[in-house]
Amino acid sequence: MRTPIVVAGSLNMDFVVQMQALPTPGQTLRGRDFQLLPGGKGANQACAVGKLGGRGLMLGRVGGDVFGEQLKASLAAAGVDTGRVARTAGEATGVALIFVESGGQNMIVIAAGANDRFMPADIEAAGDCFTPGGYVLLQLESPQETVEAAAAFARGRGMTVILDPAPARPLSRALLGNVDILTPNETEALLLLGRPPGEVALAEAPRLAAALRAQGPRCVILKLGDKGAWYSGGTAEGHVPAFEVEAVDATAAGDTFNGALAVALSEGAALAAAVRFANCAAAISVTRLGAQASVPSRAEVDAMLRA
Ligand code: RIB
């Protein structure tokens, strides 16, 4: 029996335009292609869980429009249980406007819509899904009180709580105290430590991870882009190098990382091996356009790891 992985979070329809360079304020630019693709940080994580062979269940809210049904269908096609994704009459499904430049970097603006109606009461209503020994994946595109309620509820049920603190925002000690594994990128790590945005040198990673662990999480995994990842959890600590790939679109690389991490851990992998698996899945996702569309299959990840 596979270990349950509950993802509580956002579902968005992504409006994606590829372009040569990202716009500056006041500028009008011609883009290359436009695509409507399933996204949302929560749904992307759930999609990664499903495509990589985990037993994923999505909790969240969509609107009463056609996008909501399309987003649920995308997750169902990836093998995710969407029976607890609520339809919110009178609300629009969340959308994200995404510009992707030729080097793969992006700019994202979100209109949260129904995601902002995902409340602590929704977590309580889905209490039977929180199985002891399972995993819960959280991100920050839902109301803060809902993220806090989900972490506390899951911790109370003896589940492992994995929080991707994205998009970056300050977090309460109460929330961080209920997190088992925190997975910030450089920007998010610096913000949580009250430091200005910038790059993190690999040599600095152990100190940053220790400072973040002092805020509550049992384990911290710093996602450092092309510098790989630094993990720090109790007795285990180390660096996992990045896989070298040709970047097309970085959208959802972090979401893919978290979904893959949960799958590997749920299968009993040690932390270092789970981080390597997650790095590999994220690297493949960067080579393709779109969020859920870029998440690799289990066979693709296994093949790249073997190679
Ligand atoms: O992490 C990528 C996601 O961020 C996109 O799919 C978009 O919906 C935004 O939520």
Side-chain angles (χ1 to χ4, degrees):
M1 190 66 172
R2 291 175 302 161
T3 308
I5 302 173
V6 175
V7 185
S10 60
L11 302 97
N12 294 331
M13 187 56 85
D14 291 350
F15 289 62
V16 184
V17 180
Q18 289 176 277
M19 55 212 319
Q20 195 57 38
L22 297 174
T24 53
Q27 199 178 24
T28 300
L29 292 175
R30 286 182 76 92
R32 263 191 289 130
D33 291 311
F34 165 73
Q35 296 194 54
L36 212 49
L37 296 168
K41 291 190 190 303
N44 298 342
Q45 293 188 350
C47 176
V49 169
K51 279 191 174 177
L52 294 168
R55 183 176 154 208
L57 179 140
M58 180 80 207
L59 298 179
R61 284 191 171 268
V62 291
D65 48 32
V66 68
F67 288 161
E69 289 311 309
Q70 290 171 350
L71 292 176
K72 284 175 69 174
S74 171
L75 288 185
V80 176
D81 182 344
T82 60
R84 301 298 187 98
V85 175
R87 207 179 144 96
T88 316
E91 267 296 352
T93 295
V95 297
L97 309 181
I98 304 183
F99 298 139
V100 183
E101 53 92 288
S102 53
Q105 292 306 309
N106 62 29
M107 241 180 188
I108 304 182
V109 176
I110 290 161
N115 292 310
D116 273 351
R117 301 275 300 276
F118 183 43
M119 289 290 142
D122 293 314
I123 300 297
E124 279 163 39
D128 57 303
C129 303
F130 289 69
T131 318
Y135 290 75
V136 168
L137 288 172
L138 304 170
Q139 340 69 37
L140 301 177
E141 283 183 344
S142 305
Q144 182 113 344
E145 63 263 38
T146 308
V147 180
E148 291 184 355
F153 196 85
R155 170 61 70 92
R157 288 284 167 100
M159 300 177 83
T160 299
V161 178
I162 303 178
L163 173 65
D164 189 354
R169 69 179 186 216
L171 299 175
S172 68
R173 288 284 171 138
L175 171 58
L176 288 167
N178 281 326
V179 170
D180 292 289
I181 306 176
L182 185 74
T183 63
N185 66 16
E186 292 161 275
T187 309
E188 294 144 11
L190 291 172
L191 181 131
L192 290 174
L193 293 169
R195 288 181 37 179
E199 285 232 359
V200 172
L202 185 54
E204 216 193 340
R207 207 163 42 78
L208 289 193
L212 287 168
R213 284 182 60 205
Q215 296 189 4
R218 188 169 56 81
C219 171
V220 168
I221 302 172
L222 289 172
K223 296 178 294 197
L224 301 171
D226 58 10
K227 295 183 288 272
W230 177 267
Y231 63 92
S232 165
T235 51
E237 182 169 75
H239 174 234
V240 176
F243 289 78
E244 270 185 44
V245 291
E246 187 108 352
V248 170
D249 178 9
T251 308
D255 308 333
T256 303
F257 182 98
N258 275 51
L261 179 77
V263 170
L265 292 173
S266 76
E267 292 175 357
L271 188 56
V275 174
R276 185 162 178 267
F277 181 82
N279 254 0
C280 181
I284 298 173
S285 79
V286 166
T287 64
R288 302 166 182 162
L289 184 73
Q292 291 169 37
S294 72
V295 176
S297 68
R298 180 59 176 259
E300 288 175 301
V301 176
D302 288 343
M304 185 151 160
L305 285 173
R306 275 195 304 272

